[in-house]
Amino acid sequence: MTQPALGSADTHPRPRPWLASGDLSRTQFATALLLVVFVALGLRLVYPIADPPSRPTVGIVWHDEGTWVHNARNRVLFGAWKLDEWNPMYVTPVLTGLEYVSFRLFGVGLRQARLVPELLGVLSVLLIGLGVARAANRLAGLIAAGLLAVNFVYVMYDRAATIEATMVAVLVVAWYAYARAGDSPKWGLLAGLGAVLAYFTKASAVFFVAALGLDALLSLALPANPGARSSAGSARRRAAAYTLAGLVIAALLALVFFVLPNWQEYR
């Protein structure tokens, strides 16, 4: 076999520690994740008023767009949230508020209505990448973000002004905050708030509220791992306490300022 020439690339290969460790460097991860975010942005913003897929494989009721932006449009165009007996703002006040901001800033229209889930969908791609990188490693985070960025069903939901994509994005915010709470417990407050906001975007998110609260309670109740440092167990319990506090505070605020004053409509 022919020996490589002295000083050739084969003789002195460049070190690649990220291959040895099975992970990406911080710069590689940031660059690649930024590229993934741009791909996600393009898939969601290109031809924003294009008709959605006609086949029902995505499983969405496309004509719901006008339904869910109804009250936000009323407020911007006519100065009142309620003009008739159809008021989905009591079902999804979070989406209603976000759509109102979009209409207020950019005018009332289909592009403006879809802008809310489009941008939130891109945010969820970014946070999934960052959260999985924190929970596992950077390579896993990049793969997770890439899968979410190009998933056909999720892209289609993000391109429609409906409650599902907005709910999922808020769930991702809450999950990311909970993942960070292990290092900085005060992020648990945002996790609890995000979970409650997801419920007030679409009520089916109640499963996440229950799961988050149960996980936090178990973190407080179960003994620390015998092999773990005492500081790690203490940080875990503080994160759980902040998360439970976030859930309780957000729920009480929603009850006092939204649910009880509008009980008949909300019920």
Side-chain angles (χ1 to χ4, degrees), residues 11-24:
T11 306
H12 301 288
R14 296 179 62 186
R16 297 179 180 178
W18 65 274
L19 284 177
S21 65
D23 201 4
L24 304 174

Side-chain angles (χ1 to χ4, degrees), residues 168-205:
V168 171
V170 180
L171 287 176
V172 172
V173 171
W175 170 82
Y176 171 73
Y178 195 54
R180 292 208 60 172
D183 295 327
S184 181
K186 291 183 179 179
W187 279 88
L189 292 172
L190 179 60
L193 173 63
V196 173
L197 288 178
Y199 169 77
F200 282 100
T201 303
K202 186 175 183 180
S204 59

Side-chain angles (χ1 to χ4, degrees), residues 59-65 162:
I60 192 170
V61 182
W62 295 113
H63 60 257
D64 278 359
E65 287 183 284
T162 57

Side-chain angles (χ1 to χ4, degrees), residues 26-107:
R26 181 176 297 181
T27 301
Q28 290 168 330
F29 174 68
T31 303
L33 183 59
L34 185 62
L35 179 61
V36 168
V37 168
F38 277 117
V39 170
L41 191 65
L43 290 175
R44 285 154 178 81
L45 292 181
V46 66
Y47 303 121
I49 60 172
D51 291 337
S54 58
R55 289 184 172 272
T57 53
V58 176
I60 192 170
V61 182
W62 295 113
H63 60 257
D64 278 359
E65 287 183 284
T67 297
W68 299 119
V69 305
H70 180 71
N71 292 110
R73 178 184 56 206
N74 286 349
R75 179 66 177 177
V76 173
L77 294 180
F78 308 110
W81 296 103
K82 296 173 58 176
L83 294 175
D84 49 38
E85 294 306 313
W86 176 247
N87 297 287
M89 67 179 179
Y90 297 113
V91 177
T92 179
V94 174
L95 178 64
T96 298
L98 293 172
E99 292 289 355
Y100 169 76
V101 172
S102 181
F103 289 160
R104 187 74 177 178
L105 291 175
F106 307 114

Side-chain angles (χ1 to χ4, degrees), residues 139-187:
L139 181 59
L142 182 63
I143 293 172
L147 291 173
L148 193 64
V150 300
N151 179 268
F152 173 73
V153 175
Y154 193 56
V155 170
M156 291 300 104
Y157 270 94
D158 285 345
R159 290 176 57 91
T162 57
I163 57 180
E164 287 79 11
T166 308
M167 175 196 69
V168 171
V170 180
L171 287 176
V172 172
V173 171
W175 170 82
Y176 171 73
Y178 195 54
R180 292 208 60 172
D183 295 327
S184 181
K186 291 183 179 179
W187 279 88

